[in-house]
Structures are given as C-alpha cells and as structure tokens.
C-alpha cells in the first residue's frame, strides 16, 4: 500500500511594518506611496529577470537580480524576501544548482505573497 502526500508550501509572509511607518514619517504619504509603488514594480521586473536568468543559466544575471531583489525588498520592509534573495545568491555563488532551484521556487512564492502583503498594509494606512 502506498500513499502519496502532497506538500503544501504555505509560509507566512513577514513584513516589517516599522519600516513602512518610517518611510511614511520621513517622506510623507504621497512620496512614500510613490517609493513603495516604484519598488514593487522594480521587484516584479527583477523577479521575472531572475526566473529568466535561471532558465537560461545566466549566472551573472541571476546574481545581480537576486542582489537587487534583496535591496528593494529590504527597502520596503520585506525582510524575509530579502533574506531568501540573498540565500539564492549564495546558491549561485557556490554553484549549488539543486539548492538554487529550491530557493528560487521559494523566492517566487514569497515574492507574490509579500507584494500582496505590502499593498494590503498600504491600504490599511490610507
């Protein structure tokens, strides 16, 4: 008798609301919202870039895109996403292809959920 279990990847998103509060306090509502929107657009672009770079085995582009994802996500309080992007970079730099594939899949899942969490938090602020 064999049973197949389906693993559900459901990791909670960690968002640093203090970082967003600081952005709003330092920049004001309008400028903070513009900065967050621009960062989220850039994150989406770099997320696509990292996936294409992995598919094409472009290690140089994968490395740069993961660093940018880490920087942008840290800027808007997505600390877990930033850490996972740096984990991806470590896998790339250590030529760990299996780890790279696993961390990339995690990065994509977290990015999608983190972007939604920031928008939801931003909606609560208004």
């Amino acid at each position: 008798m064999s049973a197949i279990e389906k693993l559900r990847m459901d990791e909670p998103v960690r968002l640093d609301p203090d970082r967003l509060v600081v952005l709003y306090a330092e920049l004001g509502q309008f400028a903070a919202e513009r900065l967050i929107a621009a960062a989220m657009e850039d994150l989406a672009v770099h997320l696509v870039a990292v996936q294409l770079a992995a598919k094409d085995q472009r290690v140089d582009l994968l490395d740069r895109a993961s660093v940018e994802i880490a920087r942008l996500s840290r800027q808007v309080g997505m600390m877990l996403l930033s850490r996972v992007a740096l984990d991806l970079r470590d896998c790339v730099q250590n030529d760990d292809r299996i780890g790279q594939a696993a961390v990339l899949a995690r990065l994509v899942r977290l990015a999608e959920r983190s972007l939604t969490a920031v928008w939801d938090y931003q909606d609560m602020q208004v």
Side-chain angles (χ1 to χ4, degrees), residues 72-84:
L72 289 164
S73 56
R74 191 173 42 253
Q75 183 180 31
V76 292
M78 298 179 199
M79 305 317 283
L80 179 59
L81 184 61
S82 178
R83 193 182 83 225
V84 173

Side-chain angles (χ1 to χ4, degrees), residues 3-4 6 12 15 17 20 33 41 45 53 60 82 87-88 90 97-98 102 106-107 109-110 112-114 120 122 125:
I4 297 175
K6 182 176 181 180
L15 184 62
L20 294 176
E33 287 175 358
E41 286 177 24
V45 167
D60 55 331
S82 178
D87 290 344
L88 177 61
D90 287 344
R97 303 275 172 116
I98 294 170
R106 182 179 182 209
L107 181 75
R109 283 191 311 270
L110 281 174
E112 291 169 354
R113 297 182 70 212
S114 295
D120 290 347
Q122 203 173 10
Q125 293 295 101

Side-chain angles (χ1 to χ4, degrees), residues 4-39:
I4 297 175
E5 289 288 326
K6 182 176 181 180
L7 295 177
R8 195 178 81 168
M9 303 296 188
D10 189 21
E11 185 172 10
V13 172
R14 294 186 190 141
L15 184 62
D16 182 6
D18 293 339
R19 179 66 190 135
L20 294 176
V21 168
V22 168
L23 284 176
Y24 276 87
E26 288 179 354
L27 303 175
Q29 181 176 349
F30 182 71
E33 287 175 358
R34 278 195 356 207
L35 176 87
I36 292 167

Side-chain angles (χ1 to χ4, degrees), residues 52-92:
L52 291 174
K55 180 182 172 219
D56 295 340
Q57 299 181 7
R58 293 287 313 269
V59 189
D60 55 331
L61 297 177
L62 190 55
D63 186 63
R64 279 192 303 232
S66 61
V67 169
E68 276 303 301
I69 290 171
R71 183 186 67 76
L72 289 164
S73 56
R74 191 173 42 253
Q75 183 180 31
V76 292
M78 298 179 199
M79 305 317 283
L80 179 59
L81 184 61
S82 178
R83 193 182 83 225
V84 173
L86 293 177
D87 290 344
L88 177 61
R89 184 176 195 220
D90 287 344
C91 290
V92 169

